[in-house]
Amino acid sequence: MKLKGYIACIVAGATIGWAVTADANPLPTFELPSIYDANHMITSADFQEGVVYFDFWATWCAPCLISMPLYTEMYKKYKDEGLRFVAINLDDPKIDALEFIEDFELDFIIPFDPAASTMESFGVIGMPTSYLVKDGEIIFTHVGFRSGDIDTITHEIEAALHPQGLSHLFENTPGL
């Protein structure tokens, strides 16, 4: 993978959050049940078009608990612009995740993966790890989470949703 950019946060010699913008890599193939209904399968084929933010999370992961409310706000802001959000949950038992989802009113697609079978195919190296996917290609990866990371993530999502910047707002405006 050729790196286009790298951002790291170092505190007491330990990296707690970093983001990489890289040449696009294909979205790994997966098939997982919905956390709400084990008979409803969520697959990578469902996300080959558009902009999708994937996040691996669990209730035992402290940074995940910080990120989810911020992701909820971000998703509400961008869902009408086409952003989809997939929060792959790794909890076992499932009840821990379901209680958290109810308490924080998460409105995401939530596949359930207590065996963490998808982590290796995605290349997850820390929790939480997130991937921004556009048209079936991973275009941005973020590992760890601190509150300030939401600005970097939001910038990448905006760029993916509106690659031409604000010019698309004026395309059909007469006289411009």
Side-chain angles (χ1 to χ4, degrees):
M1 166 172 43
K2 291 169 84 178
L3 300 181
K4 292 182 180 177
Y6 176 79
I7 302 168
C9 173
I10 308 294
V11 175
T15 302
I16 57 174
W18 58 271
V20 176
T21 302
D23 289 340
N25 291 309
L27 176 66
T29 301
F30 68 88
E31 181 178 62
L32 294 168
S34 166
I35 198 165
Y36 307 110
D37 178 2
N39 294 318
H40 174 77
M41 298 306 285
I42 300 166
T43 73
S44 53
D46 300 328
F47 307 105
Q48 295 302 308
E49 295 181 4
V51 177
V52 188
Y53 196 76
F54 286 87
D55 183 63
F56 283 84
W57 73 285
T59 59
W60 46 260
C61 164
C64 298
L65 303 181
I66 295 168
S67 67
M68 280 299 157
L70 295 171
Y71 284 152
T72 298
E73 290 175 28
M74 181 188 68
Y75 176 63
K76 286 178 183 177
K77 181 177 178 179
Y78 294 106
K79 69 180 181 180
D80 290 340
E81 295 180 43
L83 178 67
R84 292 186 289 165
F85 197 100
V86 180
I88 300 173
N89 180 263
L90 305 170
D91 275 299
D92 189 9
K94 182 188 332 189
I95 191 67
D96 293 345
L98 290 173
E99 288 173 355
F100 183 86
I101 291 164
E102 184 178 333
D103 288 347
F104 287 90
E105 300 177 3
L106 302 184
D107 187 25
F108 311 135
I109 298 166
I110 305 179
F112 185 55
D113 187 13
S117 62
T118 54
M119 288 179 72
E120 186 173 332
S121 62
F122 269 83
V124 173
I125 60 170
M127 289 289 289
T129 296
S130 301
Y131 301 88
L132 182 59
V133 174
K134 184 170 184 177
D135 297 331
E137 299 284 326
I138 295 172
I139 59 171
F140 174 77
T141 302
H142 188 272
V143 180
F145 194 86
R146 298 172 309 119
S147 296
D149 292 348
I150 199 71
D151 295 333
T152 300
I153 294 164
T154 299
H155 172 78
E156 293 295 330
I157 287 171
E158 287 177 354
L161 288 170
H162 307 292
Q164 68 278 24
L166 297 178
S167 64
H168 71 284
L169 299 174
F170 304 104
E171 286 175 351
N172 297 316
T173 305
L176 292 179

